[in-house]
């Protein structure tokens, strides 16, 4: 007899998002001691002693200067973000015969999924289902979560959602994971491996709001802009077979939570960008959006130029560079010279973390973070 599938988690019992805005296909590990110092985690991950998903970094808590940079970035980019949300949502709706089921990749994809859901409601009166699940590089998508989705919705209606693409590793992971899940489903009734993102600078997907590498303000912070939810965790010590991957809810960080403000600021700009979205959509639909995977080639070139032995240590784009500075051991940040005025938070974090900043002239990404290889001197 098949074991029953677990039930989703909802706010406010888990995380700070409203219950109707997202169903978390996760196991609540809020009481577990999972945090480890950045340097300790880095050594374990790079040496192969542990997978990055088996522990969590200590949550970075910004000082007043960094918080002001986030506030300014959110105000300055709200219209650009709203425009990208509108375009990618309209693109998805126009290419699906039926209203889609939004499935965001926790955690960076979750606020994007909520914003797409809000756009669909505001522009079309649609009430789209939205769930968030775990995907881990090297381990794939949570297959229990995919089984729950297949039992709850028509898998053909699912579209996966993330914030941005880097070099395309997660996109490839998604494709492989969906193929595994579909092998157990009736022919012709499987999940599409469609990934919708706000920004696709790596040219990894045909569903995007823009291919320009720009600051998505939710990338500046960790759980306090992502519904107070940690990144996802998978360890046999805490997750049994048949359970969803896990995550923590940091209720103690509620006083610093800006998740609702981020969502409300961006969705508050929907009306102002609606006409521009309508004007830009036909051109986007007609454009050749075939992925070229140019980001992967860029990463290979940069790794060779800077003596980085592992492509996993090269993190391209504003979002990925910010992640390196927030929770890895950075060695260097490459910054495109013309993007400097928009990257105040990256420059401040680099200074705080002791990472060198190298200005470059010609690069598709606004910035690229290089993680220090194990054993390399500081």
């Amino acid at each position: 007899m098949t074991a029953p599938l677990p039930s989703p988690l909802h706010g406010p019992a888990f995380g700070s998002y409203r219950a109707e805005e997202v169903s978390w296909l996760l196991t609540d590990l809020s009481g577990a001691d999972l945090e480890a110092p950045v340097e300790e985690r880095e050594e374990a991950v790079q040496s192969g002693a542990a997978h990055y998903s088996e522990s969590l970094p200590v949550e970075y808590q910004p000082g007043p200067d960094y918080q002001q940079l986030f506030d300014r970035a959110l105000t300055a980019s709200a219209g650009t973000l709203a425009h990208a949300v509108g375009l990618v949502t309209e693109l998805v709706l126009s290419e699906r015969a039926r209203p889609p089921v939004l499935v965001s990749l926790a955690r960076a994809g979750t606020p994007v999924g909520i914003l797409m859901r809000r756009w669909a409601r505001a522009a079309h009166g649609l009430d789209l289902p939205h769930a968030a699940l775990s995907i881990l590089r090297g381990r794939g998508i949570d297959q229990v979560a995919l089984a729950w989705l297949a039992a709850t919705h028509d898998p053909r209606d699912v579209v996966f959602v993330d914030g941005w693409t880097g070099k395309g590793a997660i996109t490839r992971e998604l494709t492989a994971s969906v193929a595994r899940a579909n092998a157990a489903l009736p022919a012709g009734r499987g999940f599409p491996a469609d990934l919708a993102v706000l920004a696709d600078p790596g040219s990894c997907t045909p569903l995007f709001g823009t291919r320009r590498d720009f600051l998505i303000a939710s990338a500046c912070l960790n759980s306090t802009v992502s519904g107070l939810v940690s990144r996802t965790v998978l360890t046999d010590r805490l997750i049994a077979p048949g359970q969803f991957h896990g995550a923590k809810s940091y209720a103690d960080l509620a006083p610093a939570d800006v998740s609702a403000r981020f969502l409300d600021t961006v969705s508050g700009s929907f009306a102002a960008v609606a006409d521009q979205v309508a004007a830009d959509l036909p051109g986007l639909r007609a454009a050749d959006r075939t992925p070229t995977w140019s980001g992967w080639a860029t990463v290979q070139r940069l790794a060779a130029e800077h003596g980085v032995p592992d492509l996993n240590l090269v993190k391209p784009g504003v979002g990925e560079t910010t992640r390196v500075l927030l929770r890895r051991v950075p060695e260097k940040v490459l910054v495109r010279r013309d993007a400097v005025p928009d990257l105040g938070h990256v420059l401040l974090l680099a200074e705080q973390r002791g990472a060198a900043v190298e200005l470059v002239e010609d690069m598709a990404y606004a910035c690229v973070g290089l993680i220090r290889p194990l054993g390399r001197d500081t």
Side-chain angles (χ1 to χ4, degrees):
M1 184 169 141
T2 304
L5 290 164
S7 298
L9 302 171
H10 296 93
F14 182 84
S16 63
Y17 293 135
R18 297 199 304 270
E20 68 273 16
E21 297 221 279
V22 61
S23 297
W24 296 98
L25 306 184
L26 296 171
T27 300
D28 188 355
L29 300 179
S30 299
D33 183 11
L34 288 162
E35 288 76 15
V38 170
E39 290 77 10
E40 181 181 310
R41 289 186 78 248
E42 193 65 54
E43 182 173 0
V45 170
Q46 287 196 42
S47 68
H51 191 269
Y52 75 87
S53 67
E54 294 176 29
S55 64
L56 291 170
V58 177
E59 285 276 314
Y60 170 78
Q61 292 308 303
D65 290 346
Y66 190 85
Q67 189 64 53
Q68 287 176 8
L69 285 172
F70 168 79
D71 293 340
R72 289 202 295 270
L74 177 56
T75 300
S77 65
T80 303
L81 281 166
H83 181 256
V85 169
L87 276 179
V88 72
T89 308
E90 293 294 342
L91 199 58
V92 167
L93 292 174
S94 69
E95 297 192 357
R96 292 297 185 98
R98 297 183 300 189
V101 175
L102 302 176
V103 179
S104 58
L105 308 183
R107 73 185 161 180
T110 309
V112 180
I114 294 175
L115 287 169
M116 290 178 66
R117 184 178 183 276
R118 288 188 181 187
W119 180 280
R121 178 185 285 271
H124 302 283
L126 295 172
D127 187 12
L128 302 182
H130 176 220
L133 51 62
S134 168
I135 184 170
L136 300 167
R137 180 174 48 79
R139 295 188 168 182
I141 283 189
D142 183 349
Q143 293 289 319
V144 178
L146 290 181
W148 183 92
L149 287 166
T152 309
H153 303 283
D154 188 327
R156 296 171 295 180
D157 293 338
V158 165
V159 59
F160 296 97
V161 175
D162 207 355
W164 58 84
T165 62
K167 56 180 173 284
I170 288 297
T171 313
R172 293 170 188 254
E173 199 77 68
L174 171 67
T175 302
S177 294
V178 164
R180 286 200 301 275
N182 287 348
L185 295 173
R189 293 187 62 85
F191 295 96
D194 293 346
L195 179 65
V197 296
L198 291 188
D200 180 36
S203 189
C204 307
T205 175
L207 298 174
F208 55 84
T210 179
R211 278 195 166 140
R212 184 171 64 86
D213 184 24
F214 75 102
L215 173 61
I216 298 172
S218 58
C220 292
L221 300 170
N222 286 318
S223 67
T224 52
V225 77
S226 305
L228 295 181
V229 173
S230 75
R231 22 174 345 162
T232 58
V233 173
L234 182 59
T235 169
D236 293 342
R237 181 170 61 89
L238 297 170
I239 303 297
Q243 288 187 301
F244 296 137
H245 293 186
K248 296 182 73 166
S249 176
Y250 291 112
D252 57 307
L253 297 181
D257 189 16
V258 294
S259 303
R261 179 153 65 89
F262 171 76
L263 294 173
D264 293 345
T265 301
V266 177
S267 59
S269 298
F270 284 174
V273 302
D275 289 345
Q276 192 61 52
V277 169
D280 293 343
L281 181 63
L284 181 61
R285 290 194 66 192
D288 181 1
R289 293 177 276 118
T290 306
T292 65
W293 299 91
S294 59
W296 198 273
T298 297
V299 166
Q300 289 177 315
R301 175 177 62 82
L302 292 174
E305 289 177 357
H306 294 270
V308 179
D310 182 352
L311 294 187
N312 288 326
L313 303 182
V314 181
K315 303 294 186 180
V318 180
E320 294 303 303
T321 300
T322 305
R323 284 176 166 180
V324 167
L325 294 166
L326 287 175
R327 57 190 192 227
R328 302 296 295 270
V329 177
E331 179 170 71
K332 182 188 296 185
V333 177
L334 309 178
V335 176
R336 200 177 64 223
R337 193 178 298 272
D338 68 318
V340 167
D342 299 323
L343 296 177
H345 80 290
V346 167
L347 299 177
L348 178 60
L349 282 176
E351 180 183 0
Q352 292 176 347
R353 297 298 311 280
V357 174
E358 182 177 321
L359 298 181
V360 298
E361 301 295 341
D362 185 20
M363 188 169 64
Y365 298 99
C367 56
V368 174
L370 304 181
I371 297 169
R372 179 174 300 130
L374 192 64
R376 184 175 290 182
D377 293 337
T378 59

